[in-house]
Amino acid sequence: MEREVDQMLSNSFAASLAYVSVAVLALLVFLYVFELVTRYKCWQEIKKGNMAVAMATGGKIFGICNLFRFSIEANETVYQSMIWATFGFALLLAAYFLFEFLTPVFRIDDEIQKDNRAVGFIAMIISISLSYVIGATIA
């Protein structure tokens, strides 16, 4: 069985399909986790036209996918890539909590829910930027 999987993944098309499928499924799970920890409902706010939430969520999507890019480049198997991308996501999630905690002047989630686009933009840039730093550390 293991040999058949190795043969299948030696085909570039099958390997691409496997990596993309795993990344998309993980992206959905990771976005769900972000949805659980924010004070607003991302997709409801986006449906209402809240650009701050759209920017913050877009940054999270970019950041998560960027972590997968780094983990796929650095590892030889889908399993290893998934482990490292999950580790990277945990670091990105920790950074989100630090961002919220280290901004005592106002609550990040409250400002984003109020459609404060400046805060949404900063949240987006932080997610994207940190995904490059975290990605560079992925083995």
Side-chain angles (χ1 to χ4, degrees):
M1 178 73 171
E2 186 175 322
R3 184 180 167 133
E4 292 170 4
V5 171
D6 289 341
Q7 286 178 337
M8 183 182 81
L9 290 178
S10 68
N11 177 322
S12 296
F13 294 111
S16 290
L17 182 60
Y19 280 105
V20 170
S21 298
V22 168
V24 168
L25 289 173
L27 174 63
L28 293 173
V29 170
F30 294 164
L31 285 175
Y32 178 74
V33 171
F34 267 123
E35 182 90 13
L36 291 175
V37 300
T38 56
R39 295 173 184 211
Y40 51 85
K41 299 296 176 204
C42 297
W43 303 109
Q44 289 175 0
E45 291 294 324
I46 290 169
K47 187 176 179 182
K48 290 192 281 187
N50 187 325
M51 281 300 295
V53 172
M55 286 187 283
T57 303
K60 291 170 187 167
I61 292 169
F62 186 101
I64 292 166
C65 289
N66 197 35
L67 292 172
F68 268 97
R69 180 186 74 84
F70 277 103
S71 68
I72 290 167
E73 286 178 347
N75 294 284
E76 294 186 18
T77 68
V78 174
Y79 177 74
Q80 289 172 329
S81 296
M82 182 64 191
I83 295 296
W84 279 103
T86 301
F87 176 70
F89 171 72
L91 292 176
L92 196 61
L93 188 62
Y96 167 81
F97 286 121
L98 276 174
F99 178 44
E100 180 76 37
F101 177 73
L102 294 175
T103 311
V105 179
F106 54 84
R107 301 205 57 91
I108 302 299
D109 280 354
D110 292 343
E111 291 300 313
I112 291 174
Q113 187 173 15
K114 293 180 200 172
D115 201 14
N116 183 333
R117 293 175 187 184
V119 176
F121 180 75
I122 291 297
M124 177 182 72
I125 295 301
I126 286 172
S127 292
I128 292 170
S129 301
L130 286 176
S131 75
Y132 279 98
V133 174
I134 294 167
T137 69
I138 290 175

